[in-house]
Amino acid sequence: MMRTLNGLPSALLALCALLSACDTRGDLYSGAYKALPLVATSDSVVAIEAASRQAVLLPQRVALPLSEGARAAFVSPDRTRVAVLCGDKDAPRLDLIEPAARSVRSFAIPSLYDRATLDATGRYVVLSYSDKAAAGPRNVNEVGLLELSTGEASRIALPMESLAPLEVLFAHGRSEEHQWVAVLFDKGVALLDARAPSTPARRLSVRPRGSLSEATVLEAAFSHDDRFLFVRMSGSDELIAMELAESGAGLELSLNYLGSGTGLTAMLPVAAADGGAAVVALYGRDRTAALLAANGVEAQPTIVSMPEAFDKVAAMPDGTLVMYDPNMVALFAWNPKSGKSGTARLDAPHKRAFIGEELIFIHAEALSILRVEEEESALRLRNHPIQFPGGVTDALVMGRSLWTTSRYDDTLVVIELSALSIAQLQLPGRPGPLLALPTAGLVAVEHDAWRGDVSLVRAEPLELLMRVEGARYLGLANLGEGR
């Protein structure tokens, strides 16, 4: 049965948020209303409102207290925690929300950073400035490191003279001795070990082979075993494979230049057949893809011709690689282990792709769902197009289902991918963004971002669990169980 948490009419609901009073409502009366975008963990929607100093969890209907001045929220890679940057320049803080435990931990941090990157193990947070950080004194060539188990926070100076970091990357946590962190800048990479914050960070100047001029970092990624950091740079058809090793003098960096074509457009770290580190590189000018060993010497590159100059590559669960380009209708699949490949053509370019057990492409008013089948000498890509009149507003894959909404009606369409069966559910309002809560078996449909109007839909059986009006006000209006 659906429950609607709208114990007050909509107009009065907003009024409650503005006029109700209690000791925990922060600067509700003196501060400007500031609502952060809704975020989702694996089991909860989290609605954060700065003036009331609270985070509301749905479907739990629990309001958790936050520190003053919530500014931005960041979800951990495993989607179990939310880091909220709070405070001001005199007392900056990070609040860590753990919805499963219905708890908030608050930590003092060294500076008023505006970006937080959480690792997948739940041990560390790296704090940094973006190029959109508020004006004021700040050192963009430093990061903050917060160890969650101890609450210890430290500043780490980076040996860079650059603009604000482009990205912070954690290694996968495979090493028992180290937790490598790469901080990407426009003209280089800084490497540090989160387990040894007192050890000075190392700088890698990114230059094409034989050049004295620094190149721009285009992308970087750790290998699956954390032994290498791959870097793609401007002005070069080679990748840098940076091998990470430790000696008595600290971190040692061994650089390998990898390449086997011209017109490098993309890369993807993969595991080689022997389990070692490797990377797939796409070369647009040559229309080839190459599998390159990270150390550059263990094996000759494996090269395959592509039908088009693709600029995207993704891996399916079985290791099959899929090459595509949103502006093209051609697709190419290649399994380096078997050497088999295959092509397909879509009916139109696409605006979004999901690569998993199936290949899913979202077009203007249609969907393409492809299965990759292995035949005796090739891969066959079988397309199952589905017309979607009115166009797709948003889409996500959760489990074995594709969830979609249309911009012209209030219907949620769910496609079960194994049987390609279609189910529909009428929503109580025009749908906006979709949020997946896989552990809870729910999908959240956002209706009004400012107020926090959300519908929660159960996956099995497909039904509307509840409609929440004014999620951001639940703690203020004290709506209880609702109706």
Side-chain angles (χ1 to χ4, degrees), residues 330-374:
L331 301 175
F332 180 65
W334 173 43
N335 189 316
K337 294 180 181 179
S338 67
K340 298 176 182 178
S341 62
T343 62
R345 293 185 68 84
L346 304 174
D347 294 332
H350 66 276
K351 58 183 181 179
R352 195 170 177 186
F354 300 91
I355 307 299
E357 294 184 39
E358 288 82 17
L359 316 179
I360 302 171
F361 297 92
I362 310 298
H363 309 288
E365 294 193 350
L367 311 171
S368 293
I369 301 175
L370 293 90
R371 293 197 174 102
V372 179
E373 301 172 356
E374 184 172 351

mmCIF file of all heavy atoms in Angstrom, residues 330-374:
data_model
loop_
_atom_site.group_PDB
_atom_site.id
_atom_site.type_symbol
_atom_site.label_atom_id
_atom_site.label_comp_id
_atom_site.label_asym_id
_atom_site.label_seq_id
_atom_site.Cartn_x
_atom_site.Cartn_y
_atom_site.Cartn_z
ATOM 1 N N ALA A 330 27.937 3.083 -35.425
ATOM 2 C CA ALA A 330 28.681 1.825 -35.441
ATOM 3 C C ALA A 330 29.127 1.443 -34.035
ATOM 4 O O ALA A 330 29.412 2.305 -33.190
ATOM 5 C CB ALA A 330 29.888 1.936 -36.364
ATOM 6 N N LEU A 331 29.205 0.132 -33.769
ATOM 7 C CA LEU A 331 29.743 -0.434 -32.537
ATOM 8 C C LEU A 331 30.745 -1.506 -32.904
ATOM 9 O O LEU A 331 30.652 -2.135 -33.970
ATOM 10 C CB LEU A 331 28.646 -1.062 -31.674
ATOM 11 C CG LEU A 331 27.484 -0.206 -31.199
ATOM 12 C CD1 LEU A 331 26.476 -1.090 -30.482
ATOM 13 C CD2 LEU A 331 27.981 0.882 -30.276
ATOM 14 N N PHE A 332 31.689 -1.751 -32.004
ATOM 15 C CA PHE A 332 32.674 -2.803 -32.233
ATOM 16 C C PHE A 332 32.937 -3.516 -30.925
ATOM 17 O O PHE A 332 33.144 -2.870 -29.883
ATOM 18 C CB PHE A 332 33.969 -2.201 -32.782
ATOM 19 C CG PHE A 332 35.046 -3.213 -33.062
ATOM 20 C CD1 PHE A 332 34.888 -4.180 -34.038
ATOM 21 C CD2 PHE A 332 36.230 -3.191 -32.333
ATOM 22 C CE1 PHE A 332 35.889 -5.105 -34.296
ATOM 23 C CE2 PHE A 332 37.242 -4.110 -32.589
ATOM 24 C CZ PHE A 332 37.071 -5.070 -33.577
ATOM 25 N N ALA A 333 32.905 -4.838 -30.920
ATOM 26 C CA ALA A 333 33.188 -5.652 -29.739
ATOM 27 C C ALA A 333 34.373 -6.552 -30.039
ATOM 28 O O ALA A 333 34.477 -7.125 -31.134
ATOM 29 C CB ALA A 333 31.972 -6.489 -29.350
ATOM 30 N N TRP A 334 35.253 -6.700 -29.042
ATOM 31 C CA TRP A 334 36.480 -7.487 -29.225
ATOM 32 C C TRP A 334 36.815 -8.186 -27.921
ATOM 33 O O TRP A 334 36.844 -7.564 -26.868
ATOM 34 C CB TRP A 334 37.618 -6.563 -29.653
ATOM 35 C CG TRP A 334 38.977 -7.204 -29.727
ATOM 36 C CD1 TRP A 334 39.275 -8.424 -30.247
ATOM 37 C CD2 TRP A 334 40.210 -6.648 -29.253
ATOM 38 N NE1 TRP A 334 40.617 -8.665 -30.134
ATOM 39 C CE2 TRP A 334 41.221 -7.598 -29.541
ATOM 40 C CE3 TRP A 334 40.558 -5.450 -28.638
ATOM 41 C CZ2 TRP A 334 42.561 -7.382 -29.212
ATOM 42 C CZ3 TRP A 334 41.891 -5.224 -28.309
ATOM 43 C CH2 TRP A 334 42.871 -6.175 -28.601
ATOM 44 N N ASN A 335 37.047 -9.482 -28.006
ATOM 45 C CA ASN A 335 37.498 -10.249 -26.856
ATOM 46 C C ASN A 335 38.963 -10.601 -27.067
ATOM 47 O O ASN A 335 39.284 -11.480 -27.867
ATOM 48 C CB ASN A 335 36.661 -11.522 -26.679
ATOM 49 C CG ASN A 335 36.955 -12.230 -25.371
ATOM 50 O OD1 ASN A 335 38.105 -12.387 -24.988
ATOM 51 N ND2 ASN A 335 35.915 -12.657 -24.681
ATOM 52 N N PRO A 336 39.885 -9.932 -26.367
ATOM 53 C CA PRO A 336 41.308 -10.199 -26.596
ATOM 54 C C PRO A 336 41.719 -11.627 -26.280
ATOM 55 O O PRO A 336 42.670 -12.152 -26.889
ATOM 56 C CB PRO A 336 42.007 -9.203 -25.659
ATOM 57 C CG PRO A 336 41.002 -8.136 -25.407
ATOM 58 C CD PRO A 336 39.676 -8.832 -25.426
ATOM 59 N N LYS A 337 41.039 -12.301 -25.343
ATOM 60 C CA LYS A 337 41.421 -13.672 -24.992
ATOM 61 C C LYS A 337 41.133 -14.639 -26.126
ATOM 62 O O LYS A 337 41.954 -15.484 -26.466
ATOM 63 C CB LYS A 337 40.692 -14.099 -23.722
ATOM 64 C CG LYS A 337 41.097 -13.317 -22.485
ATOM 65 C CD LYS A 337 40.335 -13.791 -21.257
ATOM 66 C CE LYS A 337 40.728 -12.977 -20.026
ATOM 67 N NZ LYS A 337 39.971 -13.400 -18.815
ATOM 68 N N SER A 338 39.961 -14.530 -26.740
ATOM 69 C CA SER A 338 39.610 -15.442 -27.832
ATOM 70 C C SER A 338 40.035 -14.904 -29.183
ATOM 71 O O SER A 338 40.118 -15.657 -30.157
ATOM 72 C CB SER A 338 38.098 -15.678 -27.843
ATOM 73 O OG SER A 338 37.401 -14.487 -28.184
ATOM 74 N N GLY A 339 40.289 -13.611 -29.248
ATOM 75 C CA GLY A 339 40.633 -12.984 -30.518
ATOM 76 C C GLY A 339 39.438 -12.707 -31.410
ATOM 77 O O GLY A 339 39.600 -12.186 -32.522
ATOM 78 N N LYS A 340 38.240 -13.019 -30.952
ATOM 79 C CA LYS A 340 37.049 -12.843 -31.774
ATOM 80 C C LYS A 340 36.525 -11.409 -31.656
ATOM 81 O O LYS A 340 36.663 -10.765 -30.608
ATOM 82 C CB LYS A 340 35.961 -13.829 -31.368
ATOM 83 C CG LYS A 340 36.367 -15.295 -31.551
ATOM 84 C CD LYS A 340 35.293 -16.229 -31.041
ATOM 85 C CE LYS A 340 35.731 -17.692 -31.179
ATOM 86 N NZ LYS A 340 34.710 -18.631 -30.649
ATOM 87 N N SER A 341 35.902 -10.935 -32.714
ATOM 88 C CA SER A 341 35.343 -9.593 -32.729
ATOM 89 C C SER A 341 34.065 -9.575 -33.543
ATOM 90 O O SER A 341 33.750 -10.541 -34.263
ATOM 91 C CB SER A 341 36.356 -8.584 -33.298
ATOM 92 O OG SER A 341 36.671 -8.905 -34.643
ATOM 93 N N GLY A 342 33.333 -8.473 -33.438
ATOM 94 C CA GLY A 342 32.093 -8.328 -34.193
ATOM 95 C C GLY A 342 31.663 -6.874 -34.217
ATOM 96 O O GLY A 342 32.110 -6.064 -33.400
ATOM 97 N N THR A 343 30.806 -6.548 -35.161
ATOM 98 C CA THR A 343 30.330 -5.177 -35.319
ATOM 99 C C THR A 343 28.808 -5.149 -35.355
ATOM 100 O O THR A 343 28.147 -6.175 -35.569
ATOM 101 C CB THR A 343 30.872 -4.547 -36.608
ATOM 102 O OG1 THR A 343 30.400 -5.303 -37.733
ATOM 103 C CG2 THR A 343 32.393 -4.539 -36.622
ATOM 104 N N ALA A 344 28.268 -3.967 -35.140
ATOM 105 C CA ALA A 344 26.825 -3.749 -35.254
ATOM 106 C C ALA A 344 26.614 -2.281 -35.582
ATOM 107 O O ALA A 344 27.504 -1.441 -35.386
ATOM 108 C CB ALA A 344 26.106 -4.121 -33.961
ATOM 109 N N ARG A 345 25.419 -1.970 -36.084
ATOM 110 C CA ARG A 345 25.056 -0.589 -36.373
ATOM 111 C C ARG A 345 23.727 -0.288 -35.687
ATOM 112 O O ARG A 345 22.758 -1.041 -35.795
ATOM 113 C CB ARG A 345 24.938 -0.350 -37.889
ATOM 114 C CG ARG A 345 26.259 -0.470 -38.606
ATOM 115 C CD ARG A 345 26.136 -0.098 -40.078
ATOM 116 N NE ARG A 345 25.849 1.316 -40.271
ATOM 117 C CZ ARG A 345 26.783 2.249 -40.288
ATOM 118 N NH1 ARG A 345 28.052 1.937 -40.107
ATOM 119 N NH2 ARG A 345 26.459 3.525 -40.476
ATOM 120 N N LEU A 346 23.713 0.824 -34.952
ATOM 121 C CA LEU A 346 22.503 1.282 -34.306
ATOM 122 C C LEU A 346 21.664 2.075 -35.299
ATOM 123 O O LEU A 346 22.133 2.455 -36.373
ATOM 124 C CB LEU A 346 22.856 2.153 -33.101
ATOM 125 C CG LEU A 346 23.767 1.513 -32.046
ATOM 126 C CD1 LEU A 346 24.145 2.542 -30.987
ATOM 127 C CD2 LEU A 346 23.104 0.305 -31.411
ATOM 128 N N ASP A 347 20.422 2.342 -34.934
ATOM 129 C CA ASP A 347 19.544 3.104 -35.818
ATOM 130 C C ASP A 347 19.860 4.592 -35.805
ATOM 131 O O ASP A 347 19.482 5.317 -36.727
ATOM 132 C CB ASP A 347 18.079 2.888 -35.418
ATOM 133 C CG ASP A 347 17.630 1.447 -35.637
ATOM 134 O OD1 ASP A 347 18.199 0.789 -36.533
ATOM 135 O OD2 ASP A 347 16.731 0.988 -34.912
ATOM 136 N N ALA A 348 20.542 5.057 -34.744
ATOM 137 C CA ALA A 348 20.822 6.492 -34.616
ATOM 138 C C ALA A 348 21.930 6.676 -33.601
ATOM 139 O O ALA A 348 22.226 5.765 -32.815
ATOM 140 C CB ALA A 348 19.557 7.243 -34.183
ATOM 141 N N PRO A 349 22.569 7.848 -33.586
ATOM 142 C CA PRO A 349 23.513 8.139 -32.505
ATOM 143 C C PRO A 349 22.813 8.076 -31.152
ATOM 144 O O PRO A 349 21.588 8.144 -31.063
ATOM 145 C CB PRO A 349 23.998 9.555 -32.836
ATOM 146 C CG PRO A 349 23.755 9.712 -34.299
ATOM 147 C CD PRO A 349 22.509 8.933 -34.585
ATOM 148 N N HIS A 350 23.598 7.993 -30.088
ATOM 149 C CA HIS A 350 23.010 7.870 -28.754
ATOM 150 C C HIS A 350 23.524 8.969 -27.846
ATOM 151 O O HIS A 350 24.542 9.608 -28.120
ATOM 152 C CB HIS A 350 23.320 6.494 -28.159
ATOM 153 C CG HIS A 350 24.783 6.285 -27.874
ATOM 154 N ND1 HIS A 350 25.678 5.866 -28.847
ATOM 155 C CD2 HIS A 350 25.520 6.448 -26.748
ATOM 156 C CE1 HIS A 350 26.880 5.771 -28.331
ATOM 157 N NE2 HIS A 350 26.820 6.109 -27.051
ATOM 158 N N LYS A 351 22.809 9.192 -26.742
ATOM 159 C CA LYS A 351 23.205 10.210 -25.779
ATOM 160 C C LYS A 351 23.674 9.620 -24.456
ATOM 161 O O LYS A 351 24.201 10.353 -23.608
ATOM 162 C CB LYS A 351 22.048 11.184 -25.528
ATOM 163 C CG LYS A 351 20.764 10.537 -25.018
ATOM 164 C CD LYS A 351 19.666 11.589 -24.869
ATOM 165 C CE LYS A 351 18.385 10.981 -24.332
ATOM 166 N NZ LYS A 351 17.315 12.000 -24.165
ATOM 167 N N ARG A 352 23.515 8.313 -24.269
ATOM 168 C CA ARG A 352 23.948 7.682 -23.036
ATOM 169 C C ARG A 352 24.112 6.196 -23.268
ATOM 170 O O ARG A 352 23.400 5.611 -24.089
ATOM 171 C CB ARG A 352 22.925 7.940 -21.923
ATOM 172 C CG ARG A 352 23.444 7.649 -20.522
ATOM 173 C CD ARG A 352 22.470 8.161 -19.492
ATOM 174 N NE ARG A 352 22.890 7.841 -18.151
ATOM 175 C CZ ARG A 352 22.165 8.061 -17.058
ATOM 176 N NH1 ARG A 352 20.969 8.624 -17.172
ATOM 177 N NH2 ARG A 352 22.610 7.751 -15.863
ATOM 178 N N ALA A 353 25.068 5.574 -22.554
ATOM 179 C CA ALA A 353 25.321 4.148 -22.737
ATOM 180 C C ALA A 353 25.521 3.485 -21.384
ATOM 181 O O ALA A 353 26.063 4.083 -20.450
ATOM 182 C CB ALA A 353 26.545 3.933 -23.613
ATOM 183 N N PHE A 354 25.056 2.235 -21.269
ATOM 184 C CA PHE A 354 25.300 1.386 -20.113
ATOM 185 C C PHE A 354 25.933 0.097 -20.631
ATOM 186 O O PHE A 354 25.329 -0.615 -21.443
ATOM 187 C CB PHE A 354 24.005 1.049 -19.366
ATOM 188 C CG PHE A 354 23.263 2.245 -18.846
ATOM 189 C CD1 PHE A 354 22.288 2.867 -19.604
ATOM 190 C CD2 PHE A 354 23.537 2.757 -17.582
ATOM 191 C CE1 PHE A 354 21.593 3.962 -19.132
ATOM 192 C CE2 PHE A 354 22.846 3.860 -17.101
ATOM 193 C CZ PHE A 354 21.876 4.458 -17.862
ATOM 194 N N ILE A 355 27.148 -0.208 -20.163
ATOM 195 C CA ILE A 355 27.847 -1.407 -20.611
ATOM 196 C C ILE A 355 27.906 -2.380 -19.442
ATOM 197 O O ILE A 355 28.538 -2.109 -18.412
ATOM 198 C CB ILE A 355 29.273 -1.085 -21.103
ATOM 199 C CG1 ILE A 355 29.234 0.031 -22.148
ATOM 200 C CG2 ILE A 355 29.933 -2.337 -21.653
ATOM 201 C CD1 ILE A 355 28.443 -0.277 -23.386
ATOM 202 N N GLY A 356 27.212 -3.509 -19.574
ATOM 203 C CA GLY A 356 27.198 -4.548 -18.554
ATOM 204 C C GLY A 356 27.061 -5.891 -19.247
ATOM 205 O O GLY A 356 27.738 -6.169 -20.229
ATOM 206 N N GLU A 357 26.173 -6.742 -18.737
ATOM 207 C CA GLU A 357 25.920 -8.012 -19.427
ATOM 208 C C GLU A 357 25.257 -7.775 -20.771
ATOM 209 O O GLU A 357 25.382 -8.582 -21.686
ATOM 210 C CB GLU A 357 25.056 -8.917 -18.548
ATOM 211 C CG GLU A 357 25.755 -9.377 -17.271
ATOM 212 C CD GLU A 357 24.905 -10.335 -16.474
ATOM 213 O OE1 GLU A 357 24.221 -11.191 -17.094
ATOM 214 O OE2 GLU A 357 24.902 -10.248 -15.237
ATOM 215 N N GLU A 358 24.524 -6.683 -20.882
ATOM 216 C CA GLU A 358 23.997 -6.214 -22.163
ATOM 217 C C GLU A 358 24.618 -4.860 -22.478
ATOM 218 O O GLU A 358 25.163 -4.193 -21.601
ATOM 219 C CB GLU A 358 22.468 -6.073 -22.138
ATOM 220 C CG GLU A 358 21.704 -7.385 -22.122
ATOM 221 C CD GLU A 358 21.605 -7.990 -20.744
ATOM 222 O OE1 GLU A 358 21.843 -7.275 -19.747
ATOM 223 O OE2 GLU A 358 21.318 -9.194 -20.645
ATOM 224 N N LEU A 359 24.491 -4.456 -23.732
ATOM 225 C CA LEU A 359 24.900 -3.126 -24.151
ATOM 226 C C LEU A 359 23.624 -2.323 -24.355
ATOM 227 O O LEU A 359 22.774 -2.702 -25.169
ATOM 228 C CB LEU A 359 25.708 -3.178 -25.454
ATOM 229 C CG LEU A 359 26.784 -4.260 -25.553
ATOM 230 C CD1 LEU A 359 27.476 -4.190 -26.912
ATOM 231 C CD2 LEU A 359 27.782 -4.130 -24.420
ATOM 232 N N ILE A 360 23.482 -1.229 -23.621
ATOM 233 C CA ILE A 360 22.256 -0.440 -23.663
ATOM 234 C C ILE A 360 22.608 0.966 -24.112
ATOM 235 O O ILE A 360 23.489 1.611 -23.537
ATOM 236 C CB ILE A 360 21.571 -0.405 -22.284
ATOM 237 C CG1 ILE A 360 21.265 -1.831 -21.806
ATOM 238 C CG2 ILE A 360 20.305 0.433 -22.335
ATOM 239 C CD1 ILE A 360 20.798 -1.906 -20.369
ATOM 240 N N PHE A 361 21.912 1.439 -25.135
ATOM 241 C CA PHE A 361 22.157 2.772 -25.672
ATOM 242 C C PHE A 361 20.840 3.541 -25.701
ATOM 243 O O PHE A 361 19.821 3.026 -26.193
ATOM 244 C CB PHE A 361 22.770 2.691 -27.071
ATOM 245 C CG PHE A 361 24.119 2.019 -27.087
ATOM 246 C CD1 PHE A 361 24.225 0.650 -27.304
ATOM 247 C CD2 PHE A 361 25.270 2.744 -26.847
ATOM 248 C CE1 PHE A 361 25.455 0.018 -27.291
ATOM 249 C CE2 PHE A 361 26.517 2.122 -26.836
ATOM 250 C CZ PHE A 361 26.607 0.770 -27.059
ATOM 251 N N ILE A 362 20.865 4.749 -25.163
ATOM 252 C CA ILE A 362 19.685 5.602 -25.081
ATOM 253 C C ILE A 362 19.732 6.597 -26.239
ATOM 254 O O ILE A 362 20.660 7.402 -26.338
ATOM 255 C CB ILE A 362 19.632 6.365 -23.744
ATOM 256 C CG1 ILE A 362 19.841 5.402 -22.562
ATOM 257 C CG2 ILE A 362 18.318 7.117 -23.620
ATOM 258 C CD1 ILE A 362 18.806 4.333 -22.436
ATOM 259 N N HIS A 363 18.726 6.552 -27.108
ATOM 260 C CA HIS A 363 18.627 7.470 -28.241
ATOM 261 C C HIS A 363 17.600 8.558 -27.925
ATOM 262 O O HIS A 363 17.047 8.616 -26.830
ATOM 263 C CB HIS A 363 18.223 6.711 -29.503
ATOM 264 C CG HIS A 363 19.070 5.512 -29.780
ATOM 265 N ND1 HIS A 363 20.371 5.595 -30.212
ATOM 266 C CD2 HIS A 363 18.807 4.177 -29.674
ATOM 267 C CE1 HIS A 363 20.866 4.374 -30.371
ATOM 268 N NE2 HIS A 363 19.936 3.504 -30.039
ATOM 269 N N ALA A 364 17.344 9.404 -28.904
ATOM 270 C CA ALA A 364 16.394 10.501 -28.690
ATOM 271 C C ALA A 364 15.006 9.978 -28.329
ATOM 272 O O ALA A 364 14.396 10.422 -27.364
ATOM 273 C CB ALA A 364 16.336 11.387 -29.926
ATOM 274 N N GLU A 365 14.499 9.009 -29.087
ATOM 275 C CA GLU A 365 13.165 8.468 -28.813
ATOM 276 C C GLU A 365 13.147 6.952 -28.961
ATOM 277 O O GLU A 365 12.176 6.371 -29.431
ATOM 278 C CB GLU A 365 12.128 9.112 -29.738
ATOM 279 C CG GLU A 365 11.932 10.601 -29.484
ATOM 280 C CD GLU A 365 10.700 11.162 -30.174
ATOM 281 O OE1 GLU A 365 10.105 10.440 -30.992
ATOM 282 O OE2 GLU A 365 10.339 12.312 -29.886
ATOM 283 N N ALA A 366 14.226 6.308 -28.562
ATOM 284 C CA ALA A 366 14.297 4.853 -28.645
ATOM 285 C C ALA A 366 15.413 4.343 -27.743
ATOM 286 O O ALA A 366 16.262 5.110 -27.275
ATOM 287 C CB ALA A 366 14.531 4.408 -30.087
ATOM 288 N N LEU A 367 15.390 3.038 -27.495
ATOM 289 C CA LEU A 367 16.438 2.342 -26.758
ATOM 290 C C LEU A 367 16.982 1.231 -27.636
ATOM 291 O O LEU A 367 16.239 0.617 -28.405
ATOM 292 C CB LEU A 367 15.903 1.730 -25.467
ATOM 293 C CG LEU A 367 15.060 2.596 -24.533
ATOM 294 C CD1 LEU A 367 14.459 1.721 -23.439
ATOM 295 C CD2 LEU A 367 15.912 3.681 -23.926
ATOM 296 N N SER A 368 18.258 0.947 -27.540
ATOM 297 C CA SER A 368 18.863 -0.220 -28.179
ATOM 298 C C SER A 368 19.453 -1.096 -27.093
ATOM 299 O O SER A 368 20.268 -0.633 -26.295
ATOM 300 C CB SER A 368 19.955 0.189 -29.170
ATOM 301 O OG SER A 368 19.420 0.878 -30.275
ATOM 302 N N ILE A 369 19.027 -2.354 -27.039
ATOM 303 C CA ILE A 369 19.552 -3.325 -26.086
ATOM 304 C C ILE A 369 20.194 -4.436 -26.892
ATOM 305 O O ILE A 369 19.519 -5.139 -27.652
ATOM 306 C CB ILE A 369 18.439 -3.867 -25.171
ATOM 307 C CG1 ILE A 369 17.770 -2.714 -24.407
ATOM 308 C CG2 ILE A 369 19.008 -4.888 -24.197
ATOM 309 C CD1 ILE A 369 16.589 -3.143 -23.563
ATOM 310 N N LEU A 370 21.515 -4.595 -26.751
ATOM 311 C CA LEU A 370 22.247 -5.564 -27.548
ATOM 312 C C LEU A 370 22.835 -6.640 -26.654
ATOM 313 O O LEU A 370 23.311 -6.370 -25.544
ATOM 314 C CB LEU A 370 23.387 -4.904 -28.336
ATOM 315 C CG LEU A 370 22.985 -3.924 -29.443
ATOM 316 C CD1 LEU A 370 22.880 -2.507 -28.900
ATOM 317 C CD2 LEU A 370 23.956 -3.984 -30.615
ATOM 318 N N ARG A 371 22.814 -7.860 -27.176
ATOM 319 C CA ARG A 371 23.491 -8.978 -26.526
ATOM 320 C C ARG A 371 24.653 -9.410 -27.413
ATOM 321 O O ARG A 371 24.532 -9.435 -28.635
ATOM 322 C CB ARG A 371 22.530 -10.143 -26.309
ATOM 323 C CG ARG A 371 21.427 -9.844 -25.304
ATOM 324 C CD ARG A 371 20.771 -11.125 -24.817
ATOM 325 N NE ARG A 371 19.810 -10.849 -23.747
ATOM 326 C CZ ARG A 371 18.507 -10.815 -23.902
ATOM 327 N NH1 ARG A 371 17.974 -11.036 -25.093
ATOM 328 N NH2 ARG A 371 17.703 -10.571 -22.886
ATOM 329 N N VAL A 372 25.756 -9.740 -26.769
ATOM 330 C CA VAL A 372 26.941 -10.186 -27.491
ATOM 331 C C VAL A 372 27.029 -11.701 -27.370
ATOM 332 O O VAL A 372 27.136 -12.238 -26.258
ATOM 333 C CB VAL A 372 28.213 -9.532 -26.944
ATOM 334 C CG1 VAL A 372 29.443 -10.019 -27.701
ATOM 335 C CG2 VAL A 372 28.109 -8.002 -27.034
ATOM 336 N N GLU A 373 26.960 -12.379 -28.497
ATOM 337 C CA GLU A 373 26.977 -13.845 -28.521
ATOM 338 C C GLU A 373 28.237 -14.321 -29.237
ATOM 339 O O GLU A 373 28.617 -13.790 -30.286
ATOM 340 C CB GLU A 373 25.735 -14.372 -29.237
ATOM 341 C CG GLU A 373 24.431 -13.919 -28.585
ATOM 342 C CD GLU A 373 23.214 -14.289 -29.412
ATOM 343 O OE1 GLU A 373 23.410 -14.822 -30.533
ATOM 344 O OE2 GLU A 373 22.074 -14.042 -28.964
ATOM 345 N N GLU A 374 28.877 -15.337 -28.659
ATOM 346 C CA GLU A 374 30.102 -15.875 -29.253
ATOM 347 C C GLU A 374 29.757 -16.998 -30.220
ATOM 348 O O GLU A 374 29.111 -17.986 -29.855
ATOM 349 C CB GLU A 374 31.047 -16.389 -28.169
ATOM 350 C CG GLU A 374 32.379 -16.865 -28.721
ATOM 351 C CD GLU A 374 33.385 -17.196 -27.633
ATOM 352 O OE1 GLU A 374 33.094 -16.899 -26.457
ATOM 353 O OE2 GLU A 374 34.446 -17.750 -27.970
#
